Amino acid sequence: MKNLELIFAHDMTEFDPGAEIGFIASWDLESVPESVEVRLVWNTSGKGDRDLKVVKTVRFDSPAANDQKDVTFTLPWGPYSFSGKLISVIWAIELIALPGRDSMRREITVAPRGKEVVVG
Amino acid sequence: MAKRQEALSVARSPGFGSLVGCFGVLFGLVFSTMFFGIGSLFLWLTAVHPGLQVWEASSWVETPCTIIKSDVEGRETYRVEIEYQFTFDGKLHKGDQYDFFDMSTSGRTSKERIVAKYKEGSEHVCFVDPDDPTKSVLHRGLSAKMWWGLFPIPFMVIGLVGYWVVFFGRTRIKNKLTHMQNRAIGDASLSEAMTGRSSQSFSTNRVASQSEWSDSSYDEEDLFEEPGSVTLAQESSPFGLALFLLFFALIWNGIVSVFVFSRFENWAKLDLGFEDLILVPFVLIGIGVFLASIYNFMAGMNPKPVLVLSRQLIPLGGAALLQWRFPNGTGSLQKLKISLTGLEEAKYRRGTNTYTDTETFCKEVLFETTALDELAEGEVEVNIPTEMMHSFNGGNNKVIWQIHFHGDIPMWPDINAKFPIRVVPHE
């Protein structure tokens, strides 16, 4: 039984750029991980080959197999969450137990008024 | 509604790009070595070695000889088959070398003229190596057909260009492109600097073990707008393209001309074959590329606009003043249209090929005139729509904003210049 969760207050995942966001990262793993990382990432999707960037990382070394932590990130001012005809920019929080590959990801929106920029 | 899925940053596959890069370098090296190696070998055999023999034979001894055989050999290409005998140091020797360029070439007539001159039984002089009388020649000077010996040079040039691209060009080109993009396109990291840097609860450093898929990079100077205006740099110059096309056309046509000349005498006799049909597309491509290079040279001679933007970074919803002028006059320019364009660009690989697709999401005409007194210089306000996407450079995926400067010139290539600008997130 392994379970990873990212819990946002009021399940809100739409944010303004520059906003400070807080959430709970929780995990319940079969074995004790070396570390657990919470990553703020953006990636592209669409016609082009994927670009991905880990913008910020919080690392918890020698955690318990079952634990939860409060995490706070200050979001950058860009790039905005964006959807065009060829490409999209998608923001996400990723929770990863290392060195294994147990992980989960929750996509968020980072754009003015929390609304993805849509063009085309 | 939020989606749950596996983290993408775990299953990174940075090796793909590296693998493609390694294969690219390997292919480039093999390709360049083949062209340069084979070209060098042929240049040695057809030009350098015969040239050295000509120089060596300049000290050989002139000796009377008798032609004992003289004929033209070959069906498609021809060579002179000749034998002669001479007495040197009291001994009878035989020779069979007309000149040092011993290669079968097209054109039977020139060989027949030689055979007619050196008839069987006729008396002539040959040149004998006094140190080794087994080495002799009838014609020891340079001949017109030695120009054929230079045909491997284009192959060697292709090889050398290949080496340059593999060892120096890739880095230089990439650096230049990156520099241009960084100057022209705000990358995603710009935003990182705008966050006011780190917060105590997290590390802003990249994870050391990561190989990022995105190659967006930035340098410090891109993060802050210096006060004052900026002179926009054109995306590309028609002269650069013209030179590239001309270079390609010279190599391509140089190679094709070898085959064309080999068939020339047959064409003169209206002796056409299937091989002539195969030559046609190659000749047409050569002509087409050459004409394209001329077109771009003409475009390169167009009046050059200088564009100055009142600020280096324009935020979404913001404005800037764009001024233009033609320092060297407008020439025959009759119509001018200045547009603001926003476009998506996606680069993707399919097999070993890389493709780039673009899609315009915003196009707004800022200024348009046919009045000659308004063409030479002016200014216009550039307003960036607020509900749009800022400039973005993820590496393979980009959002690009540019000023498109289009001028109509009758009976001449139009001015078609693009000047990237940097649009940043809202202030």
Side-chain angles (χ1 to χ4, degrees):
Chain A
M1 162 73 187
K2 51 191 176 195
N3 188 29
L4 296 102
E5 284 290 343
L6 288 166
I7 303 150
F8 288 83
H10 312 296
D11 210 29
M12 198 182 80
T13 55
E14 296 168 343
F15 307 100
D16 274 306
E20 187 175 88
I21 63 171
F23 52 91
I24 296 166
S26 77
W27 56 92
D28 184 2
L29 304 167
E30 290 166 347
S31 57
V32 176
E34 276 182 23
S35 64
V36 168
E37 283 191 5
V38 183
R39 297 173 182 172
L40 172 66
V41 306
W42 62 253
N43 64 273
T44 60
S45 72
K47 198 160 189 179
D49 288 349
R50 177 181 289 148
D51 296 314
L52 183 144
K53 184 165 186 178
V54 178
V55 178
K56 287 162 186 170
T57 304
V58 175
R59 185 185 179 103
F60 301 104
D61 289 316
S62 310
N66 179 345
D67 202 353
Q68 65 174 44
K69 298 280 183 184
D70 288 337
V71 181
T72 309
F73 279 142
T74 300
L75 296 173
W77 293 98
Y80 290 169
S81 295
F82 161 74
S83 183
K85 279 192 175 174
L86 295 181
I87 61 175
S88 295
V89 177
I90 299 158
W91 280 92
I93 308 287
E94 298 188 342
L95 177 60
I96 302 143
L98 298 169
R101 295 167 80 91
D102 295 336
S103 69
M104 66 88 57
R105 160 188 170 100
R106 272 195 82 169
E107 290 178 2
I108 61 173
T109 304
V110 181
R113 297 179 305 283
K115 299 226 178 303
E116 179 188 55
V117 176
V118 180
V119 301
Chain B
M1 164 125 183
K3 286 182 273 183
R4 257 195 76 159
Q5 49 193 305
E6 296 287 294
L8 290 175
S9 63
V10 172
R12 275 181 293 276
S13 55
F16 177 74
S18 316
L19 209 61
V20 169
C22 285
F23 274 118
V25 168
L26 195 65
F27 175 80
L29 283 173
V30 170
F31 172 88
S32 305
T33 304
M34 272 176 59
F35 270 79
F36 186 74
I38 293 169
S40 303
L41 179 68
F42 273 88
L43 188 73
W44 169 260
L45 292 173
T46 60
V48 178
H49 186 245
L52 289 171
Q53 286 182 303
V54 167
W55 176 74
E56 190 186 349
S58 63
S59 61
W60 289 5
V61 180
E62 189 175 311
T63 307
C65 69
T66 306
I67 306 299
I68 54 176
K69 184 189 173 187
S70 179
D71 201 2
V72 177
E73 277 204 344
R75 300 181 73 176
E76 289 292 321
T77 56
Y78 311 95
R79 63 189 295 274
V80 173
E81 186 72 14
I82 202 160
E83 281 183 28
Y84 49 92
Q85 59 184 26
F86 57 92
T87 304
F88 194 83
D89 281 347
K91 287 184 183 172
L92 187 68
H93 294 274
K94 279 188 180 178
D96 59 359
Q97 186 144 13
Y98 168 70
D99 63 8
F100 294 117
F101 189 80
D102 193 21
M103 193 171 147
S104 224
T105 59
S106 63
R108 189 182 171 92
T109 313
S110 57
K111 281 82 177 178
E112 283 173 342
R113 277 200 298 269
I114 294 167
V115 168
K117 182 183 173 185
Y118 293 90
K119 288 193 177 81
E120 284 181 25
S122 61
E123 298 289 330
H124 291 271
V125 292
C126 63
F127 301 91
V128 182
D129 183 352
D131 301 325
D132 181 6
T134 59
K135 292 193 325 195
S136 64
V137 69
L138 282 171
H139 179 77
R140 66 176 173 179
L142 296 168
S143 64
K145 60 180 181 173
M146 278 190 168
W147 289 110
W148 283 95
L150 302 179
F151 88 88
I153 288 177
F155 292 89
M156 292 173 65
V157 170
I158 292 171
L160 287 172
V161 168
Y163 282 132
W164 185 87
V165 169
V166 168
F167 291 113
F168 308 107
R170 287 165 71 248
T171 311
R172 282 195 192 186
I173 291 164
K174 192 174 175 182
N175 288 348
K176 190 171 171 63
L177 287 173
T178 304
H179 176 73
M180 283 168 65
Q181 286 165 0
N182 286 347
R183 302 287 307 168
I185 301 168
D187 71 39
S189 303
L190 173 65
S191 56
E192 213 169 87
M194 296 164 84
T195 58
R197 303 288 174 200
S198 59
S199 153
Q200 290 180 357
S201 60
F202 57 80
S203 151
T204 58
N205 294 332
R206 296 171 185 179
V207 179
S209 61
Q210 269 169 225
S211 299
E212 293 177 358
W213 290 0
S214 165
D215 61 357
S216 28
S217 59
Y218 69 96
D219 73 47
E220 291 295 319
E221 70 180 29
D222 281 342
L223 303 182
F224 307 101
E225 183 178 14
E226 290 178 15
S229 57
V230 59
T231 301
L232 299 179
Q234 197 173 328
E235 190 181 58
S236 62
S237 159
F239 267 129
L241 182 59
L243 284 171
F244 172 79
L245 291 171
L246 182 65
F247 181 72
F248 180 87
L250 286 173
I251 291 172
W252 181 275
N253 291 327
I255 295 166
V256 171
S257 66
V258 171
F259 298 96
V260 169
F261 282 121
S262 74
R263 299 293 304 158
F264 212 77
E265 282 191 20
N266 301 67
W267 295 347
K269 296 173 191 169
L270 296 177
D271 174 18
L272 300 174
F274 180 68
E275 58 268 43
D276 301 310
L277 204 63
I278 294 170
L279 268 178
V280 169
F282 290 92
V283 171
L284 290 177
I285 289 168
I287 292 169
V289 174
F290 183 69
L291 290 176
S293 77
I294 289 178
Y295 178 91
N296 278 281
F297 268 118
M298 290 164 70
M301 289 187 282
N302 276 334
K304 289 184 176 44
V306 172
L307 273 65
V308 179
L309 200 62
S310 62
R311 56 193 300 186
Q312 299 188 38
L313 312 175
I314 315 175
L316 287 164
L321 193 66
L322 177 72
Q323 296 176 308
W324 78 90
R325 66 181 195 277
F326 287 91
N328 301 315
T330 56
S332 305
L333 188 64
Q334 294 211 337
K335 184 181 175 186
L336 179 63
K337 185 160 85 171
I338 304 172
S339 313
L340 171 71
T341 308
L343 54 98
E344 300 170 69
E345 183 184 281
K347 190 168 71 180
Y348 56 97
R349 295 175 190 86
R350 294 287 180 273
T352 55
N353 296 324
T354 301
Y355 303 91
T356 303
D357 285 3
T358 57
E359 182 74 41
T360 301
F361 62 81
C362 174
K363 191 167 178 76
E364 186 187 325
V365 176
L366 302 173
F367 180 83
E368 190 167 15
T369 186
T370 51
L372 295 179
D373 57 333
E374 293 178 355
L375 293 171
E377 60 180 318
E379 59 182 42
V380 65
E381 193 171 68
V382 180
N383 290 292
I384 306 295
T386 191
E387 301 291 333
M388 284 287 172
M389 179 63 175
H390 54 80
S391 302
F392 164 76
N393 180 5
N396 297 308
N397 302 276
K398 295 170 189 170
V399 173
I400 297 165
W401 286 90
Q402 58 194 12
I403 301 293
H404 190 180
F405 206 87
H406 187 271
D408 279 350
I409 302 174
M411 309 294 289
W412 194 264
D414 288 347
I415 297 172
N416 202 356
K418 291 168 184 170
F419 298 85
I421 60 172
R422 293 180 57 194
V423 174
V424 293
H426 296 85
E427 280 180 317

